[in-house]
């Protein structure tokens, strides 16, 4: 329920689906376990896990969704060993090299034979839609998983007009100025972790942990005399949460302060639906507030639609 990572996408057109319409659309791609010979399955699961069956949870004007993926685990070394045995057997029996097509067929047959005995790995990716703020927020540290989440939703809805937030000047330029000019507002406090990178694909990278980012030692790498720019930076926001912000505006390792959790401590744990509603309302409220404030530092807004 409490998101630990944030990939933020903006709607380019108003999101107009009602709760009932969205729930019906999600039913078209409900998660089902892999069959014996299937490598993977991907679909929508209960939005609130074991506490409910609905694919959608609605509170605070936001829709919570959960995409589930099952993947069969076939160690590459096992497949490789079996393939080498098949190829060796063919070459000994026919006194010739196996063709590329034969090797591909062997590999396909081996995979098909091993799949019923393979272990499964199941992972859930949660996200929420906030029509009022024009955003979708996906709880993952992986850009690929965020894109998979959006692709599944797009299958259900037919189209999904969303885009990433991209600052005109480049996020790394703004984040570098935060250190050089110390221009962040009072709600932001620079943390003790960051990553600096020189221009170019092969540019030098400096990763800092437990380091004062405003020290002369770090600032010497930036600005006119330095060659690097900030591509990741840790900070604390409004005595509410801490996180690490990357130059693609993804937010990693979100940790809410105890004072936030304490706001719902008086709700009995045995009244689970009330607790879930309260936590989701509190979490989305604080995350939306943070996103709006964070994007404002890049002169971006969540309350206006972007161009396609």
């Amino acid at each position: 329920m409490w998101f630990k990572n944030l990939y933020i996408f903006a709607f380019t057109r108003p999101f107009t689906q009602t709760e009932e319409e969205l729930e019906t659309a999600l039913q078209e791609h409900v998660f089902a376990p892999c069959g014996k010979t299937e490598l993977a399955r991907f679909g929508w699961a209960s939005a609130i896990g074991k506490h409910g069956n609905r694919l959608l949870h609605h509170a605070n004007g936001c829709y919570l969704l959960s995409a589930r993926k099952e993947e069969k685990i076939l160690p590459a070394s096992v497949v490789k060993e079996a393939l080498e045995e098949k190829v060796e057997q063919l070459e000994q029996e026919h006194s010739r090299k196996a063709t590329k097509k034969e090797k591909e067929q062997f590999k396909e047959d081996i995979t098909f034979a091993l799949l019923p005995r393979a272990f499964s790995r199941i992972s859930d990716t949660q996200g929420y839609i906030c029509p009022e703020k024009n955003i979708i927020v996906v709880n993952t540290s992986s850009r690929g998983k965020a894109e998979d989440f959006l692709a599944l939703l797009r299958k259900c809805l037919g189209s999904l007009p969303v885009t990433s937030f991209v600052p005109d000047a480049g996020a790394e330029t703004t984040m570098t100025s935060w250190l050089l000019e110390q221009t962040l507002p009072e709600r932001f406090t620079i943390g003790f972790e960051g990553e600096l990178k020189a221009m170019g694909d092969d540019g030098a990278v400096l990763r800092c942990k437990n380091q004062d980012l405003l020290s002369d030692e770090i600032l010497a790498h930036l600005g006119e005399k330095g060659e690097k720019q900030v591509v990741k930076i840790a900070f604390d926001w409004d005595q509410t949460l801490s996180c690490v912000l990357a130059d693609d505006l993804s937010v990693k390792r979100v940790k809410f302060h105890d004072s936030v959790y304490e706001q719902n401590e008086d709700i009995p744990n045995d009244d689970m639906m009330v607790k879930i509603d309260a936590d989701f309302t509190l979490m989305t409220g604080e995350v939306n507030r943070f996103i709006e404030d964070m994007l404002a530092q890049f002169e971006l807004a969540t309350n206006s639609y972007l161009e396609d």
Side-chain angles (χ1 to χ4, degrees):
M1 179 63 67
W2 292 89
F3 284 20
K4 296 180 180 180
N5 301 281
L6 311 173
Y7 263 98
I8 310 156
F9 301 90
F11 286 103
T12 59
R13 294 195 300 271
F15 184 82
T16 58
Q17 276 80 8
T18 65
E19 181 177 356
E20 293 74 18
E21 289 171 341
L22 185 53
E23 176 85 27
T24 300
L26 298 182
Q27 292 289 343
E28 296 294 322
H29 291 277
V30 176
F31 173 80
C34 285
K36 288 185 177 181
T37 58
E38 289 183 305
L39 275 169
R41 279 286 188 94
F42 193 41
W44 301 111
S46 168
I48 55 175
K50 63 182 180 180
H51 302 295
N53 297 317
R54 292 192 62 193
L55 304 179
L56 193 67
H57 185 74
H58 184 211
N60 194 33
C62 300
Y63 301 111
L64 178 67
L65 306 85
S66 183
R68 174 165 294 177
K69 188 170 190 177
E70 179 184 3
E71 297 173 285
K72 291 290 185 68
I73 308 302
L74 282 178
S77 59
V78 174
V79 176
K80 181 181 178 182
E81 183 179 347
L83 177 60
E84 289 174 348
E85 290 178 2
K86 291 284 287 185
V87 170
E88 183 179 356
Q89 181 182 352
L90 179 144
E91 292 177 347
Q92 288 179 351
E93 291 178 356
H94 298 277
S95 301
R96 65 175 177 82
K97 295 288 186 180
T99 65
K100 181 180 179 181
K101 185 175 181 180
E102 286 172 328
K103 290 180 181 179
E104 290 175 350
Q105 185 61 52
F106 286 158
K107 186 174 182 180
E108 185 178 323
D109 293 342
I110 291 165
T111 299
F112 187 82
L114 292 176
L115 275 175
R117 293 179 285 158
F119 290 104
S120 289
R121 177 173 57 200
I122 295 178
S123 59
D124 293 337
T125 302
Q126 286 187 313
Y128 73 82
I129 300 170
C130 183
E132 180 185 354
K133 297 294 184 181
N134 314 325
I135 56 174
I136 296 180
V137 183
V138 186
N139 179 17
T140 179
S141 60
S142 164
R143 176 80 187 196
K145 288 185 177 180
E147 295 287 357
D148 289 344
F149 184 96
L150 296 180
L152 182 60
L153 186 55
R154 187 174 289 111
K155 281 185 180 179
C156 298
L157 300 178
S159 67
L160 190 67
V162 295
T163 186
S164 299
F165 286 97
V166 181
D168 292 337
E172 65 279 0
T173 300
T174 300
M175 293 193 294
T176 301
S177 72
W178 291 349
L179 297 188
L180 289 176
E181 302 172 18
Q182 301 183 30
T183 54
L184 274 172
E186 293 182 0
R187 290 181 297 276
F188 293 80
T189 303
I190 299 295
F192 293 87
E193 182 177 350
E195 184 174 312
L196 282 59
K197 187 177 184 301
M199 299 287 287
D201 295 336
D202 298 324
V205 177
L206 175 64
R207 295 184 178 92
C208 311
K209 199 166 185 178
N210 300 323
Q211 170 71 50
D212 181 3
L213 300 182
L214 298 176
S215 66
D216 292 340
E217 179 184 358
I218 297 300
L219 295 180
H221 290 273
L222 306 173
E224 294 180 3
K225 295 182 180 180
E227 59 176 5
K228 299 180 180 68
Q229 290 185 308
V230 178
V231 294
K232 289 182 183 177
I233 189 168
F235 58 79
D236 191 276
W237 176 75
D238 201 27
Q239 300 182 351
T240 297
L241 60 84
S242 61
C243 64
V244 175
L245 177 67
D247 57 353
D248 63 352
L249 299 190
S250 62
V251 184
K252 312 291 176 63
R253 304 212 306 273
V254 177
K255 294 182 180 179
F256 292 90
H257 292 192
D258 290 342
S259 58
V260 177
Y261 296 119
E262 289 168 359
Q263 295 181 46
N264 287 342
E265 274 190 346
D266 59 337
I267 301 174
N269 287 330
D270 56 359
D271 200 344
M272 188 53 64
M273 290 309 300
V274 173
K275 175 71 171 172
I276 288 172
D277 265 354
D279 283 349
F280 184 57
T281 296
L282 179 58
M283 191 270 291
T284 53
E286 294 296 353
V287 169
N288 286 346
R289 195 165 64 89
F290 161 71
I291 289 173
E292 188 166 1
D293 202 4
M294 183 268 290
L295 293 178
Q297 310 313 311
F298 299 92
E299 298 183 355
L300 296 169
T302 62
N303 60 356
S304 61
Y305 295 104
L306 305 180
E307 294 295 325
D308 283 307

